[in-house]
mmCIF file of all heavy atoms in Angstrom:
data_model
loop_
_atom_site.group_PDB
_atom_site.id
_atom_site.type_symbol
_atom_site.label_atom_id
_atom_site.label_comp_id
_atom_site.label_asym_id
_atom_site.label_seq_id
_atom_site.Cartn_x
_atom_site.Cartn_y
_atom_site.Cartn_z
ATOM 1 N N ALA A 11 -39.391 37.267 107.483
ATOM 2 C CA ALA A 11 -39.134 36.718 106.147
ATOM 3 C C ALA A 11 -37.822 37.299 105.632
ATOM 4 O O ALA A 11 -37.378 38.358 106.086
ATOM 5 C CB ALA A 11 -40.278 37.094 105.216
ATOM 6 N N LEU A 12 -37.195 36.608 104.709
ATOM 7 C CA LEU A 12 -35.938 37.103 104.131
ATOM 8 C C LEU A 12 -36.235 37.746 102.774
ATOM 9 O O LEU A 12 -36.918 37.145 101.937
ATOM 10 C CB LEU A 12 -34.954 35.941 103.940
ATOM 11 C CG LEU A 12 -34.449 35.265 105.219
ATOM 12 C CD1 LEU A 12 -33.678 33.982 104.888
ATOM 13 C CD2 LEU A 12 -33.555 36.218 106.012
ATOM 14 N N ASN A 13 -35.737 38.948 102.567
ATOM 15 C CA ASN A 13 -35.948 39.627 101.292
ATOM 16 C C ASN A 13 -34.697 40.387 100.907
ATOM 17 O O ASN A 13 -34.141 41.105 101.737
ATOM 18 C CB ASN A 13 -37.118 40.626 101.401
ATOM 19 C CG ASN A 13 -38.446 39.897 101.450
ATOM 20 O OD1 ASN A 13 -38.894 39.315 100.461
ATOM 21 N ND2 ASN A 13 -39.062 39.895 102.626
ATOM 22 N N GLY A 14 -34.260 40.225 99.661
ATOM 23 C CA GLY A 14 -33.085 40.985 99.208
ATOM 24 C C GLY A 14 -32.137 40.121 98.395
ATOM 25 O O GLY A 14 -32.558 39.198 97.690
ATOM 26 N N ILE A 15 -30.857 40.453 98.536
ATOM 27 C CA ILE A 15 -29.832 39.747 97.749
ATOM 28 C C ILE A 15 -28.827 39.123 98.715
ATOM 29 O O ILE A 15 -28.365 39.783 99.646
ATOM 30 C CB ILE A 15 -29.074 40.734 96.826
ATOM 31 C CG1 ILE A 15 -30.043 41.394 95.845
ATOM 32 C CG2 ILE A 15 -27.941 40.031 96.070
ATOM 33 C CD1 ILE A 15 -29.411 42.470 94.983
ATOM 34 N N VAL A 254 -34.785 30.498 102.899
ATOM 35 C CA VAL A 254 -35.892 31.303 102.344
ATOM 36 C C VAL A 254 -37.153 30.439 102.239
ATOM 37 O O VAL A 254 -38.259 30.894 102.542
ATOM 38 C CB VAL A 254 -35.513 31.877 100.953
ATOM 39 C CG1 VAL A 254 -36.659 32.694 100.380
ATOM 40 C CG2 VAL A 254 -34.247 32.727 101.045
ATOM 41 N N GLY A 258 -39.992 32.085 104.332
ATOM 42 C CA GLY A 258 -40.772 32.860 103.376
ATOM 43 C C GLY A 258 -39.966 34.067 102.940
ATOM 44 O O GLY A 258 -38.950 34.422 103.569
ATOM 45 N N GLY A 259 -40.384 34.691 101.841
ATOM 46 C CA GLY A 259 -39.679 35.867 101.347
ATOM 47 C C GLY A 259 -39.218 35.669 99.916
ATOM 48 O O GLY A 259 -39.604 34.693 99.250
ATOM 49 N N ASP A 260 -38.407 36.601 99.472
ATOM 50 C CA ASP A 260 -37.992 36.629 98.062
ATOM 51 C C ASP A 260 -36.527 37.070 98.015
ATOM 52 O O ASP A 260 -36.209 38.223 98.287
ATOM 53 C CB ASP A 260 -38.899 37.629 97.324
ATOM 54 C CG ASP A 260 -38.629 37.683 95.831
ATOM 55 O OD1 ASP A 260 -37.609 37.114 95.378
ATOM 56 O OD2 ASP A 260 -39.439 38.308 95.123
ATOM 57 N N VAL A 261 -35.654 36.147 97.713
ATOM 58 C CA VAL A 261 -34.216 36.443 97.778
ATOM 59 C C VAL A 261 -33.537 36.019 96.486
ATOM 60 O O VAL A 261 -33.828 34.959 95.932
ATOM 61 C CB VAL A 261 -33.560 35.706 98.982
ATOM 62 C CG1 VAL A 261 -32.039 35.776 98.913
ATOM 63 C CG2 VAL A 261 -34.049 36.296 100.299
ATOM 64 N N THR A 262 -32.646 36.871 96.015
ATOM 65 C CA THR A 262 -31.795 36.487 94.888
ATOM 66 C C THR A 262 -30.433 36.094 95.446
ATOM 67 O O THR A 262 -29.819 36.844 96.201
ATOM 68 C CB THR A 262 -31.644 37.662 93.899
ATOM 69 O OG1 THR A 262 -32.940 37.957 93.383
ATOM 70 C CG2 THR A 262 -30.711 37.295 92.755
ATOM 71 N N LEU A 418 -27.385 37.531 106.260
ATOM 72 C CA LEU A 418 -28.785 37.355 106.660
ATOM 73 C C LEU A 418 -29.395 38.673 107.139
ATOM 74 O O LEU A 418 -30.551 38.979 106.841
ATOM 75 C CB LEU A 418 -28.876 36.288 107.761
ATOM 76 C CG LEU A 418 -28.629 34.855 107.283
ATOM 77 C CD1 LEU A 418 -28.487 33.909 108.469
ATOM 78 C CD2 LEU A 418 -29.760 34.385 106.355
ATOM 79 N N ARG A 420 -28.726 41.645 106.179
ATOM 80 C CA ARG A 420 -29.041 42.497 105.019
ATOM 81 C C ARG A 420 -30.376 42.130 104.381
ATOM 82 O O ARG A 420 -30.956 42.913 103.655
ATOM 83 C CB ARG A 420 -27.935 42.382 103.959
ATOM 84 C CG ARG A 420 -26.652 43.105 104.320
ATOM 85 C CD ARG A 420 -25.583 42.783 103.314
ATOM 86 N NE ARG A 420 -25.816 43.440 102.031
ATOM 87 C CZ ARG A 420 -25.199 44.537 101.624
ATOM 88 N NH1 ARG A 420 -24.295 45.087 102.383
ATOM 89 N NH2 ARG A 420 -25.480 45.065 100.462
ATOM 90 N N CYS A 421 -30.849 40.925 104.655
ATOM 91 C CA CYS A 421 -32.129 40.483 104.083
ATOM 92 C C CYS A 421 -33.262 40.555 105.100
ATOM 93 O O CYS A 421 -34.321 39.966 104.905
ATOM 94 C CB CYS A 421 -32.000 39.068 103.538
ATOM 95 S SG CYS A 421 -31.027 39.031 102.037
ATOM 96 N N GLY A 422 -33.023 41.210 106.202
ATOM 97 C CA GLY A 422 -34.114 41.453 107.145
ATOM 98 C C GLY A 422 -34.155 40.542 108.353
ATOM 99 O O GLY A 422 -35.046 40.663 109.200
ATOM 100 N N ALA A 423 -33.204 39.620 108.454
ATOM 101 C CA ALA A 423 -33.210 38.724 109.619
ATOM 102 C C ALA A 423 -32.617 39.450 110.829
ATOM 103 O O ALA A 423 -31.837 40.394 110.673
ATOM 104 C CB ALA A 423 -32.384 37.481 109.318
#
Side-chain angles (χ1 to χ4, degrees):
L12 294 170
N13 287 290
I15 299 175
V254 179
D260 184 349
V261 169
T262 297
L418 288 170
R420 286 173 73 101
C421 288

